[in-house]
Amino acid sequence: MALELDARQRAMLEEMHVRVWWPQAPAPAEPAAAQAEAVAAPVAPPPMAARPAPAVAAPAPVVAATPRPAVAPAADDGRAAAIAAMDWTALQQSVSGCEACKLCGTRKNTVFGVGPAVPQAEAPPRVDWLIVGEAPGEQEDLRGEPFVGQAGKLLDNMLRAVGVSRHGEVRGAQAAFIVNVLKCRPPGNRNPALDEVAQCEPYLKRQIALLQPKIILAVGRFAVQSLLAGSVPDVQTQPLGRLRGKVYRYEAVPVVVSYHPAYLLRSLPEKAKAWADLCLAMETVKSL
Ligand code: SF4
């Protein structure tokens, strides 16, 4: 099944320099005068120059979930059990006052996540997609919101191009909630440490349990490793590019792997692959 894009969505992709292939109807023969005028007219988006990337990934193998060990030994099972029983509001409050790892000493704000407004006080928002990134950066730490700045803009635009929105503000769009594995910024944007991931993991686990998304899009190495440790052998050592193109499971929720938007800003050629990942995620949602 092909993902149908209207002219506006295609224009958005062009604007983002996401060059994808889609079938083009053969143009009818035109009179010579009309052909001359057409030189200045807007042209249809070109196909990929080399090895066209399909607009929609081929049917992807689904990797079955297996029992999942923690990324690192959890320090306190009692704490994890308490978090696993929290409602949405209690979870937010717990994150905002959390001192379970050393990152609490350097953060300006915790970054719980962002998505559509909640219908009731204790209830989580209704979402279709969960986007999981790595950790807050400087701007996210200052604003208390994930994926702001250029990377956030790129993520929002790419999501919007497939009809997904973080605030659910676009009519007819599927709603997304956006989180990070870590809720506090590692100083200097260093990589998350194993013990920090282990301490913060119960929050992500509870967010997923409460949100019950139809699909999880894991962007970047740490999100992928955190979500797929245990269900994918040697996920810690496999390059992210080799993990793409399949549908995995995190406790029964389908997971699609993609590149982090910050990486895409530095690696323009990878945008077409990220677009193919989004199409795979959308097709997976449609097939549910
Ligand atoms: S990173 Fe997570 S575990 Fe560490 S202090 Fe922040 S919220 Fe708590």
Side-chain angles (χ1 to χ4, degrees):
M1 183 167 51
L3 190 68
E4 290 180 4
L5 300 174
D6 60 27
R8 186 186 58 81
Q9 289 171 311
R10 292 178 183 187
M12 286 174 71
L13 290 172
E14 288 295 300
E15 190 68 23
M16 288 181 275
H17 306 289
V18 177
R19 304 185 71 199
V20 296
W21 176 90
W22 49 75
Q24 296 180 43
E30 291 180 83
Q35 284 179 11
E37 280 177 19
V39 172
V43 295
M48 292 278 289
R51 269 194 62 196
V56 176
V62 176
V63 179
T66 55
R68 176 172 184 279
V71 172
D76 181 352
D77 285 346
R79 174 174 165 268
I83 291 172
M86 288 177 182
D87 66 22
W88 193 248
T89 303
L91 192 63
Q92 285 177 299
Q93 288 168 351
S94 181
V95 168
S96 69
C98 182
E99 298 182 349
C101 83
K102 57 187 173 299
L103 296 182
C104 68
T106 49
R107 72 182 177 219
K108 294 198 166 48
N109 288 292
T110 54
V111 182
F112 180 78
V114 67
V118 292
Q120 304 156 23
E122 287 88 22
R126 290 194 199 92
V127 300
D128 305 289
W129 292 51
L130 179 67
I131 317 297
V132 181
E134 175 182 315
E138 185 180 16
Q139 290 305 310
E140 287 81 4
D141 182 43
L142 288 171
R143 287 176 49 179
E145 183 174 334
F147 286 94
V148 294
Q150 289 308 308
K153 239 182 245 173
L154 176 62
L155 177 66
D156 283 343
N157 286 340
M158 292 187 77
L159 288 175
R160 207 171 293 136
V162 288
V164 177
S165 154
R166 74 162 78 185
H167 295 301
E169 78 280 20
V170 181
R171 197 194 303 182
Q174 296 186 16
F177 201 86
I178 303 179
V179 299
N180 283 308
V181 172
L182 289 188
K183 312 305 184 200
C184 303
R185 181 193 182 207
N189 294 349
R190 66 158 167 76
N191 288 337
L194 269 185
D195 64 310
E196 294 158 1
V197 173
Q199 290 298 336
C200 217
E201 192 179 33
Y203 292 130
L204 176 61
K205 203 175 164 110
R206 187 59 181 156
Q207 284 178 314
I208 294 172
L210 289 169
L211 289 167
Q212 296 185 355
K214 294 176 183 164
I215 186 92
I216 296 174
L217 183 70
V219 295
R221 192 159 56 96
F222 282 93
V224 171
Q225 290 176 352
S226 183
L227 289 166
L228 301 185
S231 65
V232 178
D234 62 11
V235 67
Q236 310 292 340
T237 53
Q238 285 206 51
L240 192 139
R242 216 178 284 164
L243 294 163
R244 293 180 49 252
K246 299 186 190 124
V247 180
Y248 303 90
R249 299 271 169 190
Y250 179 90
E251 298 183 355
V253 183
V255 178
V256 168
V257 167
S258 192
Y259 294 109
H260 194 284
Y263 170 73
L264 294 177
L265 289 174
R266 303 189 301 269
S267 312
L268 296 184
E270 308 291 36
K271 283 187 183 175
K273 294 180 187 169
W275 172 247
D277 299 334
L278 276 182
C279 291
L280 173 59
M282 180 55 84
E283 289 304 315
T284 304
V285 171
K286 284 183 178 175
S287 70
L288 294 175

